[in-house]
Amino acid sequence: MAIKGQHLFTSESVTEGHPDKIADQISDSVLDAVMAEDPMGRVACETLVTTGLAFVAGEITTKASLDYASIVRGTIREVGYTRAKYGFDCETCAVICSIDRQSPDIAMGVNTGGAGDQGLMFGYACNETPELMPLPITLAHRLTRRLSQARRENLLRWLRPDGKSQVTVQYEGSRPVRVDTVVVSTQHSPDVSSEQLRAEVEARIIREAVPAHLMDSKTKIYINPTGRFATGGPQGDCGVTGRKIIVDTYGGVGSHGGGAFSGKDPTKVDRSASYMARHIAKNIVAAGLADRCEVQLAYAIGIADPVSVLIDTKETGSVDEAKLEELVRAHFRLTPLGIIESLNLRRPIFRKTAAFGHFGRNEPEFTWEATDKVAALQSALGVRGDAKVAAIK
């Protein structure tokens, strides 16, 4: 049931230089390298990064010949850790790999087209933004993207790769009305003063990323609240693949099945079925059949068809949820192979997903964001219309 009355909701995002996100990007870079040479390869790649070290482990079965050290160093370089004074250096950090083949017990179930493991996956969509995403996570991602852009374009010369944002939105019922609080913490050169940093982050990052009509005189802004963030990245905190699953998804709105995405090839339903669940939810909302929609898919290892499908429109739907479930089963391919084929997932497209969220993106690689089933859903129900989308600019 939707929360009634006035309330606050908060989501966070992190930049591509956050240690956990470095780990995610390394794992997905390894996956992309496999997909580029061997689209049928099986990958379950985990990464740990800490001061002076990147450790890559997992199970990979592939015909591809990979230079893991080069992949790791190249990813760290692209993130921006290229000098020892940043606390982590792509050229001098140690790279250790421990890779085995996929267990034959798991492969036995996957080879026949079944799921690679049991599990439950969720997808969500709502009409709070044009991306059909919750507003708090959308704004949090805008802030971290802006931090990254300002660093890469050298607009703020003292910026370093690690950074975080947090946005608290005030709601009236289910409608977002204003931004209550913005928090931005960014790694920086030790030479910049706190006064300069805070003034420039507010002017060049926050004010350019958060729409002015959502902020007012009561909006609270916190920038590097401790006063100093010179030590960051893997030197400041150990990073591990899969620790930012809420940043990856919907910012804490809705449910989460628990499985992480990065480093997993699309036979792993933790990833591919979560993408399909988002695809389903987004098409239902885009078709105007609900203001909010959460989809759950659940699988058993070695079994192709989902053991359950649940459509929950949070009391905002115009169509009976049992009917929506019938339509989903009829118009969306829900077996692991069907998901892979319909979303075209056997490609090296995953590195890009490992920073700034897997959902609410309009790049062509993000096939699960397409609203290509809207017409079919509307036709089957004999309805016409589109989502009533909030205009957040």
Short mmCIF file of all heavy atoms in Angstrom, two decimals, residues 162-210:
data_model
loop_
_atom_site.label_atom_id
_atom_site.label_comp_id
_atom_site.label_asym_id
_atom_site.label_seq_id
_atom_site.Cartn_x
_atom_site.Cartn_y
_atom_site.Cartn_z
N ASP A 162 36.64 9.60 -6.60
CA ASP A 162 35.68 9.04 -5.65
C ASP A 162 34.66 10.10 -5.25
O ASP A 162 35.01 11.28 -5.05
CB ASP A 162 36.42 8.53 -4.40
CG ASP A 162 35.59 7.61 -3.54
OD1 ASP A 162 34.41 7.38 -3.86
OD2 ASP A 162 36.13 7.13 -2.52
N GLY A 163 33.41 9.71 -5.13
CA GLY A 163 32.39 10.66 -4.71
C GLY A 163 31.06 9.99 -4.48
O GLY A 163 30.80 8.88 -4.95
N LYS A 164 30.19 10.69 -3.73
CA LYS A 164 28.87 10.15 -3.39
C LYS A 164 27.86 11.30 -3.38
O LYS A 164 28.22 12.45 -3.17
CB LYS A 164 28.87 9.49 -2.00
CG LYS A 164 29.94 8.44 -1.80
CD LYS A 164 29.96 7.91 -0.38
CE LYS A 164 28.82 6.94 -0.13
NZ LYS A 164 28.98 6.26 1.19
N SER A 165 26.61 10.94 -3.61
CA SER A 165 25.52 11.90 -3.47
C SER A 165 24.38 11.24 -2.71
O SER A 165 24.27 10.01 -2.66
CB SER A 165 25.03 12.38 -4.83
OG SER A 165 24.35 11.33 -5.51
N GLN A 166 23.51 12.08 -2.15
CA GLN A 166 22.32 11.59 -1.48
C GLN A 166 21.25 12.67 -1.60
O GLN A 166 21.52 13.85 -1.38
CB GLN A 166 22.62 11.28 -0.01
CG GLN A 166 21.49 10.63 0.75
CD GLN A 166 21.92 10.18 2.12
OE1 GLN A 166 22.59 9.16 2.27
NE2 GLN A 166 21.57 10.94 3.15
N VAL A 167 20.04 12.26 -1.96
CA VAL A 167 18.95 13.21 -2.16
C VAL A 167 17.73 12.75 -1.38
O VAL A 167 17.31 11.60 -1.50
CB VAL A 167 18.59 13.35 -3.66
CG1 VAL A 167 17.41 14.30 -3.84
CG2 VAL A 167 19.79 13.85 -4.45
N THR A 168 17.17 13.66 -0.59
CA THR A 168 15.94 13.41 0.14
C THR A 168 14.81 14.22 -0.49
O THR A 168 14.93 15.45 -0.61
CB THR A 168 16.09 13.79 1.62
OG1 THR A 168 17.15 13.05 2.21
CG2 THR A 168 14.80 13.53 2.39
N VAL A 169 13.77 13.54 -0.91
CA VAL A 169 12.63 14.18 -1.58
C VAL A 169 11.42 14.15 -0.65
O VAL A 169 11.14 13.13 -0.01
CB VAL A 169 12.31 13.47 -2.91
CG1 VAL A 169 11.01 13.99 -3.53
CG2 VAL A 169 13.47 13.63 -3.89
N GLN A 170 10.72 15.27 -0.59
CA GLN A 170 9.47 15.32 0.17
C GLN A 170 8.31 14.96 -0.74
O GLN A 170 8.20 15.47 -1.87
CB GLN A 170 9.25 16.72 0.74
CG GLN A 170 7.96 16.87 1.54
CD GLN A 170 7.79 18.26 2.10
OE1 GLN A 170 8.75 18.89 2.56
NE2 GLN A 170 6.57 18.77 2.08
N TYR A 171 7.44 14.08 -0.25
CA TYR A 171 6.28 13.64 -1.00
C TYR A 171 5.00 14.10 -0.30
O TYR A 171 4.94 14.18 0.93
CB TYR A 171 6.25 12.11 -1.08
CG TYR A 171 7.23 11.51 -2.06
CD1 TYR A 171 8.58 11.39 -1.74
CD2 TYR A 171 6.80 11.05 -3.31
CE1 TYR A 171 9.48 10.83 -2.63
CE2 TYR A 171 7.70 10.49 -4.20
CZ TYR A 171 9.03 10.38 -3.87
OH TYR A 171 9.93 9.82 -4.75
N GLU A 172 3.99 14.38 -1.10
CA GLU A 172 2.63 14.53 -0.62
C GLU A 172 1.87 13.33 -1.16
O GLU A 172 1.56 13.25 -2.34
CB GLU A 172 2.00 15.83 -1.13
CG GLU A 172 2.69 17.10 -0.66
CD GLU A 172 2.40 17.41 0.81
OE1 GLU A 172 1.56 16.69 1.41
OE2 GLU A 172 3.00 18.34 1.35
N GLY A 173 1.62 12.35 -0.30
CA GLY A 173 1.09 11.09 -0.78
C GLY A 173 2.12 10.42 -1.66
O GLY A 173 3.25 10.20 -1.26
N SER A 174 1.75 10.13 -2.91
CA SER A 174 2.69 9.51 -3.85
C SER A 174 3.34 10.53 -4.78
O SER A 174 4.10 10.15 -5.67
CB SER A 174 1.95 8.46 -4.69
OG SER A 174 0.90 9.07 -5.43
N ARG A 175 3.09 11.82 -4.57
CA ARG A 175 3.59 12.85 -5.49
C ARG A 175 4.80 13.57 -4.91
O ARG A 175 4.72 14.15 -3.82
CB ARG A 175 2.48 13.86 -5.79
CG ARG A 175 2.85 14.93 -6.82
CD ARG A 175 1.63 15.76 -7.19
NE ARG A 175 1.14 16.51 -6.04
CZ ARG A 175 1.52 17.78 -5.76
NH1 ARG A 175 2.40 18.39 -6.53
NH2 ARG A 175 1.03 18.40 -4.71
N PRO A 176 5.94 13.55 -5.61
CA PRO A 176 7.10 14.30 -5.14
C PRO A 176 6.87 15.79 -5.34
O PRO A 176 6.43 16.23 -6.41
CB PRO A 176 8.24 13.79 -6.01
CG PRO A 176 7.59 13.31 -7.26
CD PRO A 176 6.23 12.81 -6.86
N VAL A 177 7.16 16.59 -4.30
CA VAL A 177 6.86 18.02 -4.39
C VAL A 177 8.09 18.91 -4.26
O VAL A 177 8.11 20.02 -4.79
CB VAL A 177 5.81 18.44 -3.34
CG1 VAL A 177 4.48 17.77 -3.64
CG2 VAL A 177 6.26 18.09 -1.92
N ARG A 178 9.13 18.45 -3.57
CA ARG A 178 10.32 19.29 -3.41
C ARG A 178 11.48 18.44 -2.94
O ARG A 178 11.31 17.32 -2.45
CB ARG A 178 10.08 20.43 -2.40
CG ARG A 178 9.72 19.94 -1.01
CD ARG A 178 9.46 21.09 -0.04
NE ARG A 178 10.67 21.79 0.31
CZ ARG A 178 11.48 21.44 1.31
NH1 ARG A 178 11.23 20.35 2.05
NH2 ARG A 178 12.56 22.14 1.57
N VAL A 179 12.68 19.00 -3.09
CA VAL A 179 13.88 18.37 -2.54
C VAL A 179 14.14 18.95 -1.17
O VAL A 179 14.27 20.17 -1.01
CB VAL A 179 15.09 18.60 -3.48
CG1 VAL A 179 16.38 18.17 -2.79
CG2 VAL A 179 14.91 17.85 -4.78
N ASP A 180 14.18 18.08 -0.17
CA ASP A 180 14.38 18.52 1.21
C ASP A 180 15.86 18.64 1.56
O ASP A 180 16.26 19.59 2.22
CB ASP A 180 13.70 17.54 2.16
CG ASP A 180 13.84 17.96 3.61
OD1 ASP A 180 13.04 18.82 4.04
OD2 ASP A 180 14.75 17.45 4.31
N THR A 181 16.68 17.67 1.12
CA THR A 181 18.09 17.66 1.49
C THR A 181 18.94 17.12 0.35
O THR A 181 18.55 16.15 -0.31
CB THR A 181 18.33 16.77 2.74
OG1 THR A 181 17.44 17.18 3.78
CG2 THR A 181 19.76 16.87 3.23
N VAL A 182 20.09 17.74 0.14
CA VAL A 182 21.09 17.26 -0.82
C VAL A 182 22.42 17.09 -0.10
O VAL A 182 22.86 18.00 0.62
CB VAL A 182 21.27 18.24 -2.00
CG1 VAL A 182 22.37 17.74 -2.95
CG2 VAL A 182 19.96 18.43 -2.75
N VAL A 183 23.02 15.92 -0.26
CA VAL A 183 24.35 15.67 0.31
C VAL A 183 25.29 15.29 -0.83
O VAL A 183 24.97 14.41 -1.63
CB VAL A 183 24.31 14.53 1.35
CG1 VAL A 183 25.70 14.32 1.97
CG2 VAL A 183 23.27 14.80 2.43
N VAL A 184 26.43 15.96 -0.91
CA VAL A 184 27.47 15.60 -1.87
C VAL A 184 28.79 15.51 -1.14
O VAL A 184 29.18 16.44 -0.42
CB VAL A 184 27.58 16.63 -3.02
CG1 VAL A 184 28.79 16.31 -3.90
CG2 VAL A 184 26.31 16.65 -3.85
N SER A 185 29.47 14.38 -1.29
CA SER A 185 30.81 14.20 -0.73
C SER A 185 31.73 13.81 -1.87
O SER A 185 31.46 12.84 -2.58
CB SER A 185 30.82 13.11 0.35
OG SER A 185 30.01 13.49 1.45
N THR A 186 32.80 14.54 -2.06
CA THR A 186 33.69 14.25 -3.17
C THR A 186 35.15 14.27 -2.74
O THR A 186 35.58 15.11 -1.95
CB THR A 186 33.49 15.26 -4.32
OG1 THR A 186 34.35 14.91 -5.41
CG2 THR A 186 33.77 16.69 -3.90
N GLN A 187 35.88 13.30 -3.26
CA GLN A 187 37.32 13.28 -3.06
C GLN A 187 37.93 14.49 -3.75
O GLN A 187 37.45 14.95 -4.80
CB GLN A 187 37.90 12.00 -3.65
CG GLN A 187 39.38 11.78 -3.39
CD GLN A 187 39.93 10.57 -4.13
OE1 GLN A 187 39.23 9.97 -4.95
NE2 GLN A 187 41.16 10.21 -3.85
N HIS A 188 39.01 15.02 -3.17
CA HIS A 188 39.56 16.27 -3.68
C HIS A 188 41.07 16.34 -3.47
O HIS A 188 41.65 15.59 -2.68
CB HIS A 188 38.90 17.46 -2.99
CG HIS A 188 39.05 17.43 -1.48
ND1 HIS A 188 40.17 17.88 -0.82
CD2 HIS A 188 38.21 16.98 -0.51
CE1 HIS A 188 40.02 17.72 0.48
NE2 HIS A 188 38.84 17.17 0.70
N SER A 189 41.68 17.24 -4.18
CA SER A 189 43.09 17.55 -3.96
C SER A 189 43.27 18.11 -2.56
O SER A 189 42.43 18.88 -2.09
CB SER A 189 43.55 18.57 -4.99
OG SER A 189 44.75 19.18 -4.58
N PRO A 190 44.37 17.76 -1.89
CA PRO A 190 44.58 18.31 -0.54
C PRO A 190 44.82 19.82 -0.54
O PRO A 190 44.78 20.45 0.52
CB PRO A 190 45.82 17.55 -0.04
CG PRO A 190 46.49 17.04 -1.26
CD PRO A 190 45.42 16.79 -2.27
N ASP A 191 45.02 20.40 -1.72
CA ASP A 191 45.34 21.83 -1.80
C ASP A 191 44.11 22.74 -1.78
O ASP A 191 44.22 23.93 -1.50
CB ASP A 191 46.14 22.12 -3.08
CG ASP A 191 47.41 21.32 -3.17
OD1 ASP A 191 48.03 21.10 -2.11
OD2 ASP A 191 47.79 20.90 -4.28
N VAL A 192 42.93 22.22 -2.08
CA VAL A 192 41.75 23.07 -2.15
C VAL A 192 41.19 23.32 -0.75
O VAL A 192 41.20 22.44 0.11
CB VAL A 192 40.66 22.43 -3.05
CG1 VAL A 192 40.09 21.16 -2.42
CG2 VAL A 192 39.56 23.42 -3.37
N SER A 193 40.73 24.53 -0.51
CA SER A 193 40.14 24.86 0.79
C SER A 193 38.71 24.36 0.87
O SER A 193 38.03 24.20 -0.16
CB SER A 193 40.17 26.37 1.01
OG SER A 193 39.26 27.02 0.12
N SER A 194 38.22 24.12 2.07
CA SER A 194 36.84 23.69 2.26
C SER A 194 35.87 24.74 1.74
O SER A 194 34.82 24.42 1.16
CB SER A 194 36.57 23.41 3.74
OG SER A 194 37.34 22.33 4.20
N GLU A 195 36.22 26.03 1.92
CA GLU A 195 35.34 27.10 1.47
C GLU A 195 35.21 27.11 -0.05
O GLU A 195 34.09 27.23 -0.59
CB GLU A 195 35.87 28.46 1.97
CG GLU A 195 35.82 28.65 3.46
CD GLU A 195 36.91 27.87 4.20
OE1 GLU A 195 37.90 27.47 3.55
OE2 GLU A 195 36.75 27.66 5.41
N GLN A 196 36.33 26.96 -0.75
CA GLN A 196 36.28 26.93 -2.22
C GLN A 196 35.53 25.70 -2.70
O GLN A 196 34.68 25.79 -3.60
CB GLN A 196 37.69 26.93 -2.80
CG GLN A 196 37.71 26.87 -4.33
CD GLN A 196 39.12 26.72 -4.89
OE1 GLN A 196 40.11 26.76 -4.15
NE2 GLN A 196 39.22 26.53 -6.20
N LEU A 197 35.83 24.55 -2.10
CA LEU A 197 35.19 23.31 -2.52
C LEU A 197 33.67 23.42 -2.38
O LEU A 197 32.92 23.09 -3.30
CB LEU A 197 35.73 22.15 -1.69
CG LEU A 197 35.21 20.75 -2.02
CD1 LEU A 197 36.29 19.70 -1.76
CD2 LEU A 197 33.97 20.39 -1.20
N ARG A 198 33.21 23.87 -1.23
CA ARG A 198 31.77 23.92 -0.99
C ARG A 198 31.08 24.92 -1.90
O ARG A 198 29.99 24.65 -2.43
CB ARG A 198 31.50 24.22 0.48
CG ARG A 198 31.79 23.01 1.37
CD ARG A 198 31.77 23.34 2.84
NE ARG A 198 31.91 22.10 3.63
CZ ARG A 198 32.36 22.06 4.87
NH1 ARG A 198 32.74 23.18 5.49
NH2 ARG A 198 32.45 20.90 5.52
N ALA A 199 31.69 26.04 -2.13
CA ALA A 199 31.08 27.04 -3.01
C ALA A 199 30.99 26.53 -4.44
O ALA A 199 29.95 26.69 -5.11
CB ALA A 199 31.89 28.34 -2.96
N GLU A 200 32.06 25.91 -4.92
CA GLU A 200 32.07 25.46 -6.31
C GLU A 200 31.20 24.22 -6.52
O GLU A 200 30.56 24.09 -7.57
CB GLU A 200 33.51 25.22 -6.76
CG GLU A 200 34.31 26.51 -6.84
CD GLU A 200 35.70 26.32 -7.41
OE1 GLU A 200 36.16 25.16 -7.54
OE2 GLU A 200 36.34 27.34 -7.72
N VAL A 201 31.14 23.32 -5.54
CA VAL A 201 30.26 22.16 -5.68
C VAL A 201 28.80 22.60 -5.71
O VAL A 201 28.00 22.10 -6.52
CB VAL A 201 30.52 21.13 -4.55
CG1 VAL A 201 29.38 20.12 -4.48
CG2 VAL A 201 31.83 20.42 -4.78
N GLU A 202 28.45 23.54 -4.84
CA GLU A 202 27.05 24.00 -4.86
C GLU A 202 26.72 24.67 -6.20
O GLU A 202 25.67 24.39 -6.79
CB GLU A 202 26.77 24.97 -3.71
CG GLU A 202 25.34 25.48 -3.75
CD GLU A 202 24.92 26.25 -2.51
OE1 GLU A 202 25.66 26.25 -1.51
OE2 GLU A 202 23.83 26.84 -2.54
N ALA A 203 27.61 25.52 -6.69
CA ALA A 203 27.32 26.27 -7.92
C ALA A 203 27.42 25.41 -9.16
O ALA A 203 26.55 25.48 -10.05
CB ALA A 203 28.26 27.46 -8.02
N ARG A 204 28.46 24.58 -9.26
CA ARG A 204 28.75 23.88 -10.52
C ARG A 204 28.21 22.46 -10.57
O ARG A 204 28.11 21.87 -11.64
CB ARG A 204 30.27 23.84 -10.77
CG ARG A 204 30.94 25.20 -10.84
CD ARG A 204 30.37 26.08 -11.94
NE ARG A 204 30.49 25.48 -13.26
CZ ARG A 204 31.58 25.59 -14.03
NH1 ARG A 204 32.64 26.25 -13.59
NH2 ARG A 204 31.59 25.04 -15.23
N ILE A 205 27.88 21.90 -9.42
CA ILE A 205 27.37 20.52 -9.39
C ILE A 205 25.89 20.51 -9.00
O ILE A 205 25.03 20.13 -9.80
CB ILE A 205 28.18 19.65 -8.41
CG1 ILE A 205 29.68 19.70 -8.73
CG2 ILE A 205 27.65 18.21 -8.43
CD1 ILE A 205 30.06 19.20 -10.11
N ILE A 206 25.59 20.96 -7.79
CA ILE A 206 24.22 20.83 -7.28
C ILE A 206 23.25 21.70 -8.05
O ILE A 206 22.20 21.21 -8.51
CB ILE A 206 24.19 21.16 -5.77
CG1 ILE A 206 25.02 20.12 -4.99
CG2 ILE A 206 22.75 21.20 -5.26
CD1 ILE A 206 25.19 20.44 -3.52
N ARG A 207 23.57 22.96 -8.22
CA ARG A 207 22.62 23.86 -8.88
C ARG A 207 22.43 23.52 -10.35
O ARG A 207 21.39 23.85 -10.93
CB ARG A 207 23.10 25.31 -8.74
CG ARG A 207 23.16 25.80 -7.30
CD ARG A 207 21.79 25.91 -6.67
NE ARG A 207 21.86 26.30 -5.25
CZ ARG A 207 20.81 26.45 -4.46
NH1 ARG A 207 19.58 26.25 -4.95
NH2 ARG A 207 20.96 26.79 -3.20
N GLU A 208 23.41 22.86 -10.95
CA GLU A 208 23.27 22.48 -12.35
C GLU A 208 22.61 21.11 -12.52
O GLU A 208 22.14 20.79 -13.61
CB GLU A 208 24.63 22.50 -13.05
CG GLU A 208 25.21 23.91 -13.14
CD GLU A 208 26.49 23.97 -13.97
OE1 GLU A 208 26.75 23.00 -14.72
OE2 GLU A 208 27.22 24.98 -13.86
N ALA A 209 22.57 20.30 -11.46
CA ALA A 209 22.02 18.95 -11.58
C ALA A 209 20.59 18.84 -11.05
O ALA A 209 19.80 18.06 -11.57
CB ALA A 209 22.91 17.95 -10.84
N VAL A 210 20.27 19.62 -10.02
CA VAL A 210 18.95 19.54 -9.41
C VAL A 210 18.09 20.69 -9.92
O VAL A 210 18.48 21.86 -9.81
CB VAL A 210 19.04 19.60 -7.87
CG1 VAL A 210 17.66 19.50 -7.24
CG2 VAL A 210 19.94 18.49 -7.35
#
